[in-house]
Amino acid sequence: MPLKLPAVLLLLLWSIVPLAMTLWFSFQRYNLLNPTEHGWVGFENYHFLVTDPGLAKSIGNTLLIVGWVLVITVSLGTLLAVLFDQDFFGRGVARVLMIAPFFVMPTVSALIWKNMLMHPANGVISFLLMSVGLEPIDWFSQAPLASIIVIVAWQWLPFAALILLTAIQALDPERKEAARMDGAGPFSMFFFIIIPHLARAISVVVMIETLFLLAVFAEIFVTTAGGPGLASTNLAFLIYRYALLEYDIGAASAGGVVAIILANVVAAFLVRAIAKNIEA
Amino acid sequence: MNKALRRKIIITAAAWAVALLIFFPIFWMFLTGFKTEVEAIAIPPSLFFTPTLENYVAVRERADYFKFFWNSIYVSVGSTVLALVIAVPCSYAMAFFVGKRTKDTLVWMLSTKALPAVGVLVPIYLIFRDVGLLDVTFGLMIVYTLVNLPIVVWMLFSFFKEVPREVLEAGRMDGAQPKDELYHLLLPLSLPGIASTSLLAIILSWNEAFWSLNHPGLRLDEPAPAGAWPHLRRREVARRNTVATIKLTNIRKSFGDVDIIKGVSLGIDDREFVVFVGPSGCGKSTLLRLIAGLEEISDGDLFIDGVRSNDVPPAKRGLAMVFQSYALYPHMSVADNMAFSLRLAHVSKEEREKKVQEAARVLQLEPLLHRKPKELSGGQRQRVAIGRAIVRNPKVFLFDEPLSNLDASLRVQMRIELTRLHDELQATMIYVTHDQVEAMTMADKIVVLQTGLIEQVGSPLELYHHPNNLFVAGFIGSPKMNFLRGTVTAPKDGTVSVRLAGGDSMDVPVEPGRVKEGANVTLGVRPEHFRVSDRGLIRGEVLVVERLGGETFLHVKATTGELLTVQAEGDSPVRMHDNVGLQANPTDCHLFDQSGLAIPRTTRHPLAGEVRRGSHSAS
């Protein structure tokens, strides 16, 4: 127990104290622009939040980002892991290139995509579309959420592929050989040997990614700033807007409480699924 | 072009196409870095241009760029080190001292990660402002440490779990306290895992934008806290007593509802070579681990040298164990492997070297002392594992199926070496195997186990000539004893007449006591006690002839339907499908009653009480 104490205690402080304070503030009138006006307001902040059309929209956007990025990264990541596990020329270098996006800060990668690739005028994608005779697309105003999903998925794909590749390498070669002796072709190998072996690693990827994807922030901040309108505002960005653009601590706290509830609902499902895989 | 090469080329093309596609945005950024401001926004984007360094010059001239750069490094590396210092003991405790709430703790830690930053941003902002950590880099470092802590704990936990348990158990037998286990075994062994955890934590902090956007910190003068590492506690070295006896009284072990050992009582004498043998799942390894102290005894008493030792920790029992997988420490040389327990016991360097040299001489390992385990063959690894036991000068050596990973010829050789070693070291040894040949060849005393109970204890020849029951009779001896159904016709004093199902009768010299006329019995005849003759007790057809040169095994289907194995001379003329008669000497036959218990023979075999040891044997 003494060995666990520091970590447990710190995390307890880190999670419980601010949580309690957030809960407290969410029932207070508290605006940094107007600090004298201070006091208990009951559920007024929540009422403000629920009647704000942005809330439902931003929750929907949050879930869309999490869901789509997970689908893209896990499915492509598995295929990539199998591909890069094969023996081919220049494997080491190709692997490094494949993993590279993970080492790029979200702010920087958002800038690359915004200014160099998806820019309607001088972006590479527009150039390619025009060179085959299509109209260029202004990604961030015509498909803002999809653009953000693409950027985030590009960032997290290497992470998924890397974890899954490590897991594939840990697969006992004797088991694969036995399967080959049993007559398994590439497809049976993939579905009956590799995928079941990866189940645990996939659950790890899903869980870690979900926790981060629920709070995607920098990519939105840099590219669309939540717009146009609320088209690409997720919960994290909504609260950021309340707290730091409108200085309304009370409303921001109420939004924070909603974010916590959402995260816990998602996490409860995940944790139950993952807990089976942790042999404690 | 052959098929394999063509496949490799196709895969190369596919993988490189994918890799380049994924890498393209970064490549494009790199390229754009060398363009002038005008070229960078040219329509269409230009691929061919005169590269310029003006952007890099501009960055270099901005002093704050490097300040921010160093801030990033300072914060991400610093927070990772902090998180590791806090997380390592925690993960270690959770991975190896599993309690009821371990899983809950782990899940709870993860769930704090699900607490979205935006949900707690405001309070943390206010707390840090009031504590004065808001505008210092150190404050940001603390935030990142806490943000990453659950993931670090969790990853370390998974990596610690991967370390083979036998290696840690070997460490515990060598006297490693939890702290030694952590510093000398677990951390070196999970170094790759720790490295990848650190890398992930550094990257996550490096990439983190939310907290730094809302928490600008620029000061660099905060001191880093130093971890206080506890000192190793001194310990006594276990002394070799002159006598080493072990006594088990009514030992039981259950895992949950399942009883593995159901009450075993056994005495082991000084310098005895005892072999636990039985089919897999009989509990023999569990029994050994109970003696070693690696498992807790559920009920009953264990006495080592007359002292009740149920609660003595494994390293203090004065035992040494050789594991089935050898459990060598993969990151240490042969010499270090052998000296590890002595190092933990604070034995001086000279003494350590002397003992290692001595053990290496006995085991002929001298030329290999500086190699790593992975550079050794199976037999050599086996000898290192034994050497690790020898240097501790234990009261008792425990072997858990040590030869089962070796090939057949090496197994025979190691069998001889172990017997010689037992003679040379004059130590008490307990040896677990499922191979009855190993048991017969090495043991002074064999303990036959089945489903958690002792079936019989005795010298090899006692078990061979006087098995207690059908199970022991069938288990000891190779090939297996033949069993024939029969009925008692005349129980007399000194002999019992048995009529076999085939119709012939035989007078077996056993004490009649328990059997009455008409009782169903089983007659046991070992293959080597059958003789092929024309007018036999049993007749049958030879199905298969196995010629080994020195001897011939005949597999005979008796007229009564039973399949019998017969050992005949090497030059026996019998051929497949011959019809043969089989004869046996009544004094070589065994008789078992209906419940499978042996009916005692009237005369004991002269060698049944014999122990193998000669001049060295204990007085």
Side-chain angles (χ1 to χ4, degrees), chain A residues 3-4 6-8 10-12 14-15 17-19 21-22 25 80 83-84 86-90 93-94 97-98 100-108 112-113 116-117 121-122 124 127 154 157 159 204 207 211-212 217-218 221 236 239-240 244 249 256 259-260 263 267 271 275 278-280, chain B residues 7-9 11-12 15-16 18-20 22-26 28-29 32 40-45 86 89-90 92-94 98 103 105-110 112-116 118-124 126-127 143 146-147 149-151 154 157 161 200 203-204 206-207 209-210 213-214:
Chain A
L3 293 173
K4 278 193 249 177
V8 171
L10 276 170
L11 281 175
L12 209 62
W14 173 247
S15 54
V17 173
L19 192 64
M21 286 174 76
T22 301
F25 287 138
L80 280 184
L83 181 61
F84 282 84
Q86 310 291 320
D87 183 32
F88 63 85
F89 298 109
V93 181
L97 292 185
M98 187 266 287
F102 191 52
F103 296 83
V104 179
M105 299 179 188
T107 41
V108 174
I112 300 176
W113 283 86
M116 300 174 197
L117 301 177
N122 61 13
V124 176
F127 168 69
W154 177 73
L157 181 60
F159 172 78
V204 168
M207 191 184 53
L211 297 179
F212 283 91
F217 177 82
F221 179 82
I239 296 162
Y240 165 79
L244 293 155
I249 300 283
I260 291 166
V271 162
I278 307 170
E279 282 301 317
Chain B
R7 181 172 180 272
K8 194 169 169 180
I9 286 174
I11 290 174
T12 305
W16 271 94
V18 172
L20 289 177
I22 292 176
F23 187 71
F24 179 77
I26 297 171
W28 196 251
M29 171 177 72
T32 310
I41 55 164
I43 306 173
I86 302 168
C90 178
Y92 167 66
M94 292 203 291
V98 177
K103 205 163 158 179
T105 313
L106 213 60
V107 169
W108 168 74
M109 283 190 165
L110 276 172
T112 66
K113 195 61 210 165
L115 199 66
V118 287
V120 291
L121 170 67
V122 173
I124 286 178
L126 296 174
I127 294 173
V143 171
L146 290 165
V147 166
L149 191 57
I151 291 208
W154 194 74
F157 170 82
K161 276 259 177 216
L200 181 71
I203 291 167
L204 289 178
W206 182 260
N207 285 356
F210 185 83
L213 272 174
N214 298 304

Side-chain angles (χ1 to χ4, degrees), chain B residues 24-326:
Chain B
F24 179 77
I26 297 171
F27 166 75
W28 196 251
M29 171 177 72
F30 180 74
L31 215 61
T32 310
F34 291 105
K35 292 180 180 176
T36 63
E37 256 175 83
V38 182
E39 278 172 334
I41 55 164
I43 306 173
S46 52
L47 201 54
F48 303 100
F49 58 92
T50 338
T52 165
L53 284 175
E54 68 178 38
N55 296 316
Y56 287 89
V57 175
V59 164
R60 214 178 71 98
E61 279 164 3
R62 286 189 59 174
D64 53 356
Y65 177 84
F66 288 98
K67 198 166 178 182
F68 292 141
F69 183 77
W70 285 114
N71 273 349
S72 283
I73 289 189
Y74 173 76
V75 168
S76 47
V77 173
S79 67
T80 300
V81 170
L82 256 178
L84 278 180
V85 168
I86 302 168
V88 163
C90 178
S91 308
Y92 167 66
M94 292 203 291
F96 294 104
F97 304 97
V98 177
K100 272 201 173 65
R101 286 196 301 276
T102 300
K103 205 163 158 179
D104 298 339
T105 313
L106 213 60
V107 169
W108 168 74
M109 283 190 165
L110 276 172
S111 68
T112 66
K113 195 61 210 165
L115 199 66
V118 287
V120 291
L121 170 67
V122 173
I124 286 178
Y125 175 82
L126 296 174
I127 294 173
F128 274 63
R129 187 190 63 187
D130 294 345
V131 179
L133 282 173
L134 194 59
D135 284 333
V136 292
T137 320
F138 183 55
L140 202 56
M141 198 159 100
I142 290 179
V143 171
Y144 284 0
T145 305
L146 290 165
V147 166
N148 288 332
L149 191 57
I151 291 208
V152 173
V153 167
W154 194 74
M155 282 187 71
L156 286 178
F157 170 82
S158 316
F159 284 119
F160 286 172
K161 276 259 177 216
E162 300 273 306
V163 173
R165 280 200 99 77
E166 274 201 341
V167 171
L168 298 179
E169 281 172 353
R172 262 159 75 198
M173 294 299 293
D174 277 347
Q177 292 291 311
K179 278 177 231 140
D180 306 319
E181 203 172 290
L182 182 60
Y183 298 138
H184 294 302
L185 301 178
L186 206 55
L187 290 186
L189 284 175
S190 41
L191 210 58
I194 292 173
S196 49
T197 308
S198 316
L199 193 66
L200 181 71
I202 287 177
I203 291 167
L204 289 178
S205 314
W206 182 260
N207 285 356
E208 178 66 60
F210 185 83
W211 288 104
S212 42
L213 272 174
N214 298 304
H215 190 297
L218 291 172
R219 254 171 54 198
L220 296 172
D221 53 3
E222 292 292 321
W229 298 98
H231 291 277
L232 296 176
R233 201 154 45 88
R234 290 197 146 267
R235 269 183 314 284
E236 277 177 48
V237 189
R239 290 273 112 212
R240 160 86 157 107
N241 287 20
T242 44
V243 187
T245 62
I246 288 181
K247 199 165 146 241
L248 312 174
T249 48
N250 208 15
I251 294 277
R252 286 166 188 280
K253 173 70 184 173
S254 31
F255 293 100
D257 297 337
V258 188
D259 296 329
I260 301 296
I261 303 291
K262 301 166 185 165
V264 165
S265 299
L266 179 70
I268 294 167
D269 292 335
D270 186 37
R271 298 174 199 197
E272 212 167 23
F273 197 126
V274 178
V275 175
F276 294 170
V277 69
S280 60
C282 70
K284 54 193 188 298
S285 284
T286 309
L287 197 57
L288 191 75
R289 292 165 61 83
L290 289 172
I291 295 173
L294 293 171
E295 304 283 356
E296 231 169 278
I297 295 168
S298 305
D299 193 27
D301 297 309
L302 165 71
F303 295 94
I304 298 176
D305 279 345
V307 180
R308 189 174 181 276
S309 303
N310 287 35
D311 305 317
V312 178
K316 298 219 168 156
R317 295 190 182 189
L319 315 171
M321 185 150 166
V322 177
F323 290 85
Q324 181 173 3
S325 69
Y326 319 138

Side-chain angles (χ1 to χ4, degrees), chain B residues 399-578:
Chain B
F399 294 93
D400 189 3
E401 306 221 17
L403 306 187
S404 57
N405 286 349
L406 301 178
D407 65 46
S409 66
L410 211 51
R411 216 177 305 169
V412 173
Q413 191 193 326
M414 285 307 295
R415 223 162 64 195
I416 297 164
E417 275 191 43
L418 276 175
T419 310
R420 184 185 60 80
L421 197 70
H422 178 236
D423 187 53
E424 186 167 336
L425 297 175
Q426 286 297 299
T428 309
M429 292 185 173
I430 307 177
Y431 186 104
V432 165
T433 180
H434 62 267
D435 180 354
Q436 62 93 24
V437 177
E438 281 176 24
M440 292 296 280
T441 50
M442 294 194 286
D444 293 321
K445 182 153 95 189
I446 298 178
V447 179
V448 182
L449 290 152
Q450 194 198 10
T451 60
L453 287 170
I454 293 184
E455 293 286 349
Q456 190 172 0
V457 179
S459 71
L461 287 185
E462 186 173 351
L463 298 192
Y464 181 82
H465 290 294
H466 301 285
N468 268 351
N469 52 39
L470 280 175
F471 175 77
V472 177
F475 196 80
I476 299 291
S478 171
K480 227 168 108 92
M481 186 188 279
N482 299 296
F483 297 117
L484 298 157
R485 290 186 304 275
T487 322
V488 176
T489 50
K492 281 175 290 183
D493 210 17
T495 56
V496 171
S497 278
V498 178
R499 198 176 65 234
L500 295 177
D504 286 305
S505 280
M506 180 187 236
D507 291 340
V508 187
V510 295
E511 291 163 8
R514 287 201 304 270
V515 284
K516 298 210 164 57
E517 190 168 341
N520 287 324
V521 288
T522 306
L523 183 76
V525 187
R526 295 196 182 277
E528 52 269 42
H529 296 146
F530 268 132
R531 286 187 318 276
V532 179
S533 70
D534 296 332
R535 37 165 212 89
L537 179 69
I538 308 149
R539 300 203 62 85
E541 187 200 349
V542 177
L543 294 182
V544 174
V545 179
E546 292 180 324
R547 294 193 181 278
L548 302 183
E551 64 227 347
T552 304
F553 289 111
L554 310 176
H555 297 271
V556 178
K557 184 169 185 184
T559 47
T560 52
E562 284 139 327
L563 273 175
L564 306 173
T565 312
V566 177
Q567 182 181 336
E569 303 87 62
D571 43 12
S572 161
V574 179
R575 287 190 298 187
M576 275 165 82
H577 305 301
D578 280 0

